[in-house]
Amino acid sequence: MILKRFPFFFFILMAHLSFSRIDSLEYHVQGYAAMGTEGYPPHWIVSNRYGMFSDTTNNLMLVPGFSMPMSFGKKFGIEIGFDAAFTLNVKRNFIYQGYLNLRYGKLKIIAGRQEYTIGQYSERLSVGSFIISNNALPYPRVGIGFYEYVDVPFTKGYVQVMGAFNHGWLEEDRFEHSLISDSYVQEKFAYIRSNKLPVNLHLGIAHLGIYGGSRSDGTESPYDFWSAFFARGSKVAGQKCEAANAYGEHMGIFDWGLNFRIKSLKFQLYQQKPINDSGGFHKWFKYNKDNYIGAIIETKLPFIRKALYEYVSTVNQVGEGTPDPVVDGKILFPFRDDDRLWLEEYYTDLGYEVSGFDVIDWYEFLEDEVNYGHRFGGRVDYYNNNNYRNIYQGRIMGMSIFHTKPQMLKYTGLNISGEYVVNNRVKAHHFGFEGAINPRLSYWAKFTYTQNYGSWQEYEGRYKWEGIVVDPDFEWYYNGTKTQWYSLFEIDYRFAKVNGLSLQAAVSYDFGQIIDNFGGLLGLRYSGLVNFKKSRKK
């Protein structure tokens, strides 16, 4: 069984230090002020920055840290890094990063809290990732694998692969949004791509699972590593849905794309399909209409070095039908013998001829009777698993353009009904640019237009057909959609007279039907490098 306690694993890696030598030491200290006219910074000032800034108050922060690679032999090495964040609110001081990684060639063992994404093509410009973006504070994890592409033997570099498996801990008190706290996380991904061809193709799949932990009364949720690994039902799960469907919360992506050049321009095109359950990839995504499509163009022009466009749509969520049949307030699974007996008894008493129905007959019957003609398995409701939420330290671990209840209370003053993530059905057009105005002054910019559809509360929830179906005048905050813009323009200026000193400044404006907020960021960073390799040569 995988190790459940990080400190022991960390100690094992520390033992290698006595056999290594330090290559270099990079040290830095950063000071930031991030503010907004509404009493908290705008969206892109705080989002996709690894949870560094609070999104509920204006921020003053000091972040010192260092990174230190070591080597022993030609292929073995160690990477150490540490960053701490200090604010005026002592209770919010935290370790931003603290890690120690062991590598052999490109094979790496990671341990600690460190910046990390899965399925995100640009940390600075992208809207984010469905699975693990750079929106939330990194949580502790250990892992092993190839975290960058390596050549497949005997292919002369024309075929490359990467893949890894991580085990993490969501160690915070999670009862604000989840029924189970102190849960575990599994992360795994596998990619293959062609290389050195005029047009190169990559294919990949990634998976995130949250499971285990303890309930508010202190009882432990059953620990089933392999059921979580394969995203299947568990025989030891304490809940009917986890036994019949899948143990824990699961989110995945199928990811593919093309890379090619046209003269001096480099193009990267990609598409991802979000997967929240088996219906997400059934019959090659026949029912899954959600998409994440992107294009990146890199140029040799200094003013626009990179341009990015991404389109996100999470409105479909495998269809409008409820996830499972609900009859008389009960969630039922016709493939279970006892549920079929209950259904036969129930509908016979109502005068229906249902004797002898098999599983398929029951599903077809219930689709007409309780699901308004829709197939079951829809409304996957991203990040809103009943037991677990994809939230860490109050921030969404994936798509930052979704809205949580606390966010909407802050934006609108309304305590919107529904699950914790009250807006996960979104269409977005997102643009990103970066370049240099002169050799010492660089910039990046992001502009995002969103149409927000809320969640399934327009039907009174995932499992109901009430709301707008029975009442055309049903009031729901997101009815008719809410449009919202987020924008950011940020610069980095490196001083000529003080090597290693740079100034960061940003302006940001959110406007639309949800929130109007203007703000900015001002930062000063100093970094230095001690190169021990040069010292040894002398």
Side-chain angles (χ1 to χ4, degrees):
M1 181 179 291
I2 194 163
L3 291 172
K4 292 186 178 182
R5 291 292 177 262
F6 165 73
F8 176 74
F9 190 84
F10 194 86
F11 174 78
I12 295 297
L13 289 180
M14 285 292 290
H16 291 279
L17 291 175
S18 59
F19 302 101
S20 63
R21 59 185 184 182
I22 300 174
D23 295 331
S24 62
L25 173 65
E26 188 274 335
Y27 55 92
H28 50 263
V29 61
Q30 306 164 81
Y32 291 110
M35 300 184 179
T37 55
E38 293 298 307
Y40 50 84
H43 179 81
W44 285 129
I45 294 293
V46 297
S47 298
N48 289 14
R49 297 181 190 263
Y50 286 106
M52 180 177 290
F53 301 117
S54 169
D55 63 354
T56 58
T57 63
N58 290 326
N59 292 256
L60 287 174
M61 181 175 293
L62 186 69
V63 185
F66 70 91
S67 61
M68 185 170 59
M70 303 180 180
S71 62
F72 47 106
K74 293 182 178 180
K75 292 188 176 181
F76 284 96
I78 288 177
E79 303 165 353
I80 299 175
F82 183 84
D83 290 90
F86 299 94
T87 71
L88 294 178
N89 182 356
V90 177
K91 292 182 179 180
R92 200 183 173 271
N93 294 343
F94 57 94
I95 296 175
Y96 172 65
Q97 291 194 104
Y99 62 88
L100 191 155
N101 303 330
L102 175 66
R103 61 171 177 80
Y104 175 77
K106 289 188 176 181
L107 178 65
K108 185 181 289 188
I109 297 174
I110 66 171
R113 189 194 296 273
Q114 58 192 300
E115 295 179 350
Y116 184 81
T117 64
I118 299 178
Q120 187 162 325
Y121 283 84
S122 172
E123 288 198 8
R124 177 177 287 176
L125 298 183
S126 173
V127 73
S129 166
F130 275 119
I131 297 186
I132 298 294
S133 73
N134 54 344
N135 188 50
L137 182 73
Y139 50 79
R141 56 168 61 86
V142 296
I144 184 170
F146 294 98
Y147 293 89
E148 56 185 286
Y149 281 104
V150 296
D151 294 342
V152 175
F154 311 112
T155 66
K156 297 183 178 180
Y158 281 91
V159 181
Q160 297 180 317
V161 295
M162 70 173 176
F165 173 82
N166 302 328
H167 180 79
W169 293 262
L170 301 181
E171 81 288 359
E172 65 165 323
D173 185 349
R174 302 174 57 77
F175 295 122
E176 177 187 354
H177 48 76
S178 300
L179 295 182
I180 298 179
S181 186
D182 197 29
S183 46
Y184 303 109
V185 185
Q186 287 186 13
E187 305 164 349
K188 51 184 177 289
F189 63 88
Y191 280 78
I192 184 170
R193 75 177 181 185
S194 62
N195 191 35
K196 301 181 181 180
L197 300 177
V199 178
N200 290 293
L201 169 70
H202 73 263
L203 296 168
I205 189 166
H207 170 243
L208 168 76
I210 306 175
Y211 65 104
S214 58
R215 299 183 179 275
S216 57
D217 62 3
T219 60
E220 293 288 325
S221 177
Y223 183 87
D224 190 338
F225 174 86
W226 290 112
S227 291
F229 187 90
F230 291 107
R232 66 190 182 193
S234 170
K235 294 180 180 180
V236 302
Q239 293 185 319
K240 184 177 180 180
C241 287
E242 286 196 314
N245 289 329
Y247 167 69
E249 156 70 339
H250 297 273
M251 188 75 190
I253 55 169
F254 177 80
D255 188 356
W256 78 282
L258 300 172
N259 293 267
F260 55 92
R261 289 181 179 272
I262 299 179
K263 295 185 177 179
S264 62
L265 299 178
K266 182 179 178 182
F267 293 84
Q268 186 172 31
L269 309 178
Y270 48 93
Q271 180 188 24
Q272 294 180 358
K273 302 291 286 188
I275 303 167
N276 209 187
D277 60 14
S278 60
F281 56 85
H282 187 60
K283 294 184 177 180
W284 288 100
F285 313 111
K286 178 181 178 180
Y287 307 111
N288 185 348
K289 308 301 181 184
D290 291 339
N291 271 302
Y292 183 178
I293 300 171
I296 298 174
I297 303 175
E298 295 184 38
T299 80
K300 293 186 178 180
L301 301 173
F303 188 69
I304 301 181
R305 291 174 179 167
K306 183 183 290 186
L308 173 147
Y309 168 75
E310 291 178 332
Y311 169 74
V312 177
S313 178
T314 62
V315 175
N316 174 258
Q317 299 195 8
V318 200
E320 291 186 43
T322 59
D324 301 296
V326 177
V327 179
D328 196 28
K330 303 176 186 294
I331 299 177
L332 299 161
F333 302 96
F335 56 82
R336 295 168 62 104
D337 293 340
D338 54 345
D339 285 1
R340 284 200 307 277
L341 288 172
W342 188 94
L343 285 167
E344 184 172 336
E345 216 175 284
Y346 179 85
Y347 280 103
T348 298
D349 290 343
L350 293 177
Y352 289 87
E353 289 291 336
V354 294
S355 179
F357 271 21
D358 61 17
V359 175
I360 296 176
D361 293 332
W362 272 117
Y363 273 109
E364 291 177 350
F365 173 81
L366 292 171
E367 283 175 1
D368 292 332
E369 288 297 318
V370 300
N371 214 28
Y372 286 79
H374 293 273
R375 62 179 291 276
F376 294 105
R379 304 189 190 182
V380 294
D381 209 14
Y382 299 133
Y383 308 160
N384 267 336
N385 178 275
N386 186 49
N387 291 322
Y388 308 95
R389 307 281 191 245
N390 294 54
I391 306 289
Y392 185 64
Q393 296 292 338
R395 300 192 63 81
I396 290 176
M397 292 153 55
M399 279 280 164
S400 67
I401 55 175
F402 292 172
H403 296 143
T404 64
K405 274 191 174 185
Q407 280 180 300
M408 292 308 296
L409 181 62
K410 175 184 64 179
Y411 292 160
T412 67
L414 302 174
N415 187 14
I416 295 175
S417 62
E419 301 294 346
Y420 190 79
V421 182
V422 293
N423 177 40
N424 54 24
R425 301 176 64 217
V426 176
K427 287 184 179 179
H429 297 274
H430 174 79
F431 303 86
F433 305 91
E434 68 176 44
I437 299 171
N438 63 47
R440 294 193 175 276
L441 180 61
S442 59
Y443 79 92
W444 54 96
K446 297 196 283 192
F447 306 93
T448 312
Y449 169 73
T450 64
Q451 293 175 292
N452 301 276
Y453 294 74
S455 63
W456 297 104
Q457 283 307 110
E458 59 190 289
Y459 302 111
E460 292 283 17
R462 294 180 70 199
Y463 286 92
K464 296 181 179 181
W465 280 100
E466 299 173 10
I468 62 172
V469 175
V470 298
D471 179 9
D473 298 321
F474 177 73
E475 293 188 4
W476 165 237
Y477 177 79
Y478 291 96
N479 266 357
T481 75
K482 300 287 186 183
T483 60
Q484 183 68 31
W485 284 86
Y486 310 107
S487 65
L488 172 77
F489 183 80
E490 188 163 346
I491 63 169
D492 184 284
Y493 178 73
R494 293 179 291 115
F495 291 93
K497 294 185 178 181
V498 183
N499 190 34
L501 183 65
S502 62
L503 172 73
Q504 293 82 43
V507 292
S508 180
Y509 183 38
D510 300 342
F511 57 96
Q513 294 178 287
I514 298 175
I515 181 67
D516 290 340
N517 191 15
F518 178 80
L521 175 145
L522 189 64
L524 199 63
R525 173 187 171 95
Y526 179 78
S527 62
L529 179 69
V530 179
N531 192 328
F532 293 101
K533 285 186 176 180
K534 288 184 178 180
S535 300
R536 286 195 293 267
K537 287 181 181 179
K538 291 179 181 180

